């Protein structure tokens, strides 16, 4: 009897796997058309200086509003884009859009804000990557020091020597690079000292459970200490409460982003938000 049940379960499981595969295949086909059909947009989440509470930049985060599936999380579609190679075209779109939108920010006076763009391994490893970055920065006249890139540890470690070379070229251009989701990888700290990067982004999984005396507090504290020792800036992502913000400030974390201050939003909403934020910050301080 038990055997029979197990057997049925296996069949069911296979059917589910098959459904999943078909679903992913269909999704990939729709994703292929998403750029042309203008279903992809870039949202921006403000990044602020903890001590002064001033906005210093924003992270570009891709959104897919599909006519078939509705809004799809990047956690779902970025892996599909990577598997199909579509990430090359999609990545280029995000880089361009981020620069074009930076230009709009600059025109209304926000010319001191940086924009930070997430980059996939395939993009970063492409032999034309550096030339693409140069061309895009040139096209939109974005100062390289206000253009940041976010890479994960695994992206850099896939070919560490190549990565060091590419990072060196980016540094020469003046483009800052952050390690994203820091602390979630499997790598040791020893590689850090050899990487020409400028920032560590503390993964939100540690930030979300920050409490006095918690293990995550100890982890975040040590990441910040390591960063300071290596002369790197720290950004905490996923700050959702005032308590988390205050703890991060106490730990001397320099920058933060999270729902507590603002969620990712379209460019026009960001422009409105920046204006309102500045007014409320100035009235609070006066
Ligand atoms: P990420 O680069 O680590 O981005 C931070 C994620 O945390 C974003 O999720 C953001 O919306 C979310 N977040 C920010 N503050 C909070 C908070 O207070 N609470 C919570 N719960 N979440 C917060 P999102 O936009 O869904 O993006 C997920 C991931 O998809 C990104 O993680 C990044 O790895 C990837 N991604 C997004 N856009 C792009 C892109 O243009 N290119 C590439 N290659 N990857 C991208
Ligand atoms: Mg990121
Ligand atoms: Mg991150
Ligand atoms: Mg993350």
């Amino acid at each position: 009897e038990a055997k029979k049940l197990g057997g049925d379960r296996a069949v069911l499981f296979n059917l589910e796997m098959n459904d999943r595969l078909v679903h992913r295949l269909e999704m990939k086909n729709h994703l292929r058309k998403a750029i042309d059909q203008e279903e992809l947009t870039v949202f921006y989440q403000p990044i602020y200086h903890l001590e002064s509470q001033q906005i210093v930049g924003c992270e570009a985060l891709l959104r897919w509003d599909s006519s078939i599936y509705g809004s799809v999380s990047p956690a779902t579609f970025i892996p599909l884009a990577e598997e199909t190679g579509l990430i090359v075209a999609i990545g280029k779109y995000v880089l361009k859009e981020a620069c074009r939108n930076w230009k709009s920010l600059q025109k209304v006076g926000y010319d001191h804000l940086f924009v930070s763009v997430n980059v996939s391994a395939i993009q970063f490893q492409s032999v034309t990557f550096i030339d693409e970055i140069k061309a895009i920065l040139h096209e939109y006249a974005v100062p390289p020091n206000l253009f940041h890139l976010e890479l994960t540890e695994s992206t850099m470690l896939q070919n560490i020597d190549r990565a060091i070379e590419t990072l060196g070229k980016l540094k020469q251009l003046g483009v800052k690079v952050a390690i994203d989701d820091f602390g979630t990888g499997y790598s040791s700290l020893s590689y850090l000292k050899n990487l020409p990067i400028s920032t560590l982004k503390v993964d939100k999984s540690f930030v979300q459970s920050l409490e006095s005396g918690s293990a995550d507090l100890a982890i975040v504290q040590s990441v910040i200490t390591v960063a300071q020792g290596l002369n790197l800036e720290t950004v905490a992502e996923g700050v959702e409460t005032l308590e988390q913000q205050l703890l991060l400030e106490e730990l001397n974390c320099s920058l933060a982003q999270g729902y507590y201050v603002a969620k990712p939003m379209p460019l026009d909403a960001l422009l409105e938000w920046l204006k309102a934020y500045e007014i409320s910050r100035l009235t609070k301080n006066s």
Side-chain angles (χ1 to χ4, degrees), residues 152-226:
T152 62
E153 287 167 73
S154 72
T155 294
M156 299 196 196
L157 295 177
Q158 280 177 22
N159 184 342
I160 186 89
D161 295 331
R162 265 295 304 286
I164 290 173
E165 198 187 316
T166 309
L167 291 169
K169 288 180 185 161
L170 288 169
K171 192 174 180 168
Q172 265 185 344
L173 282 178
V175 170
K176 286 188 178 180
V177 173
I179 302 188
D180 205 350
D181 306 336
F182 189 77
T184 59
Y186 294 99
S187 43
S188 74
L189 289 175
S190 64
Y191 76 98
L192 261 187
K193 65 170 189 242
N194 298 319
L195 292 176
I197 53 160
S198 63
T199 308
L200 296 183
K201 292 193 80 168
V202 183
D203 192 68
K204 60 174 179 289
S205 61
F206 304 113
V207 175
Q208 271 161 352
S209 38
L210 267 188
E211 267 175 62
S212 309
S214 66
D216 285 324
L217 187 82
I219 292 173
V220 174
Q221 182 165 30
S222 54
V223 169
I224 292 167
T225 306
V226 167

Side-chain angles (χ1 to χ4, degrees), residues 29 48 73 75 81 99 104 109 136 138-139 155 157-158 160 224-225:
N29 286 329
Y48 58 103
S73 162
C99 287
S104 306
I136 291 168
H138 182 75
E139 184 179 350
T155 294
L157 295 177
Q158 280 177 22
I160 186 89
I224 292 167
T225 306

Side-chain angles (χ1 to χ4, degrees), residues 48-56 249 254 277 281 285:
Y48 58 103
H49 186 241
L50 277 160
E51 206 185 311
S52 66
Q53 295 286 303
Q54 283 196 55
I55 306 302
V56 291
E249 244 186 282
S254 64
Y277 180 87
R281 198 179 67 86
N285 289 347

